Amino acid sequence: CLFVCPASGSPVLVGDSVIPRYTISFIFTRSTLHMRYHKEGHRPLIFTGVIMLLILAAVQNGLPALTLPVLVLCLGLYLFMLNFFRHPERPIPQLDEQILYAPADGKVLVIEETEESEYYQEKRIQVSIFMSPLNVHVNRYPTSGAIEYSAYHPGKFLLAWDPKSSQ
């Protein structure tokens, strides 16, 4: 199997970024003005927008001199949230069962053989991708197929670069 970046179609090695070129653009480009946003982000975006409007109204009435700095801070935070919850289209350039497309944007930290002890109970190849807060936080299927096993493991809130966070 070949592990590739969906945007370029080029093979991915440890240390490579799997951020498609067209998603590096920020919120104000023509393509991102029509961006879809992940459904889990709708409530936080609405709630935060309302709270920010209330804060701005309070600052405007109480300390008008601070209105511009607070407005800039609120807009920056809100743009960061829009950037975090975006859900762009990811066209697959070539359908091939021998190609595994990167399931997430980010930086490939590890491609290694590891012992899988939960389902296969044998050695498998593990690909670990670090997603920074600026990456799209949507995981996609890297290949076609049927899901035979699924399990939820509650997070331990480990640092992303800790090798235990990939287990």
Side-chain angles (χ1 to χ4, degrees):
C1 274
L2 183 62
F3 186 65
V4 300
C5 176
S8 64
S10 58
V12 174
L13 304 173
V14 174
D16 286 350
S17 281
V18 286
I19 304 171
R21 284 168 288 199
Y22 56 87
T23 62
I24 294 174
S25 62
F26 206 69
I27 248 17
F28 291 119
T29 65
R30 184 179 174 93
S31 64
T32 54
L33 286 175
H34 304 288
M35 180 72 62
R36 293 182 311 155
Y37 292 91
H38 196 277
K39 66 180 180 180
E40 299 299 327
H42 293 170
R43 280 190 181 162
L45 287 169
I46 291 169
F47 179 76
T48 303
V50 169
I51 294 297
M52 286 181 177
L53 288 174
L54 293 173
I55 290 171
L56 283 168
V59 169
Q60 178 74 27
N61 289 331
L63 297 167
L66 292 179
T67 301
L68 185 59
V70 171
L71 175 65
V72 169
L73 184 67
C74 287
L75 281 176
L77 177 61
Y78 201 74
L79 288 175
F80 175 79
M81 288 182 66
L82 284 173
N83 193 53
F84 184 85
F85 286 115
R86 71 194 189 281
H87 188 359
E89 295 283 330
R90 289 286 191 266
I92 300 298
Q94 168 186 351
L95 293 176
D96 185 343
E97 290 185 15
Q98 294 300 310
I99 295 177
L100 295 176
Y101 288 99
D105 293 1
K107 183 176 180 178
V108 178
L109 296 180
V110 173
I111 300 176
E112 66 183 358
E113 188 173 65
T114 186
E115 188 68 32
E116 197 288 319
S117 60
E118 190 171 323
Y119 179 70
Y120 289 107
Q121 298 177 352
E122 62 186 27
K123 289 189 181 233
R124 294 289 173 163
I125 301 295
Q126 171 183 327
V127 178
S128 297
I129 300 174
F130 171 73
M131 295 187 292
S132 83
L134 299 177
N135 293 125
V136 173
H137 277 65
V138 175
N139 288 298
R140 295 175 168 82
Y141 297 109
T143 189
S144 63
I147 297 172
E148 294 180 9
Y149 176 79
S150 177
Y152 172 72
H153 300 282
K156 296 177 184 170
F157 302 102
L158 300 171
L159 297 174
W161 50 83
D162 185 341
K164 292 180 184 177
S165 66
S166 295
Q167 296 177 348

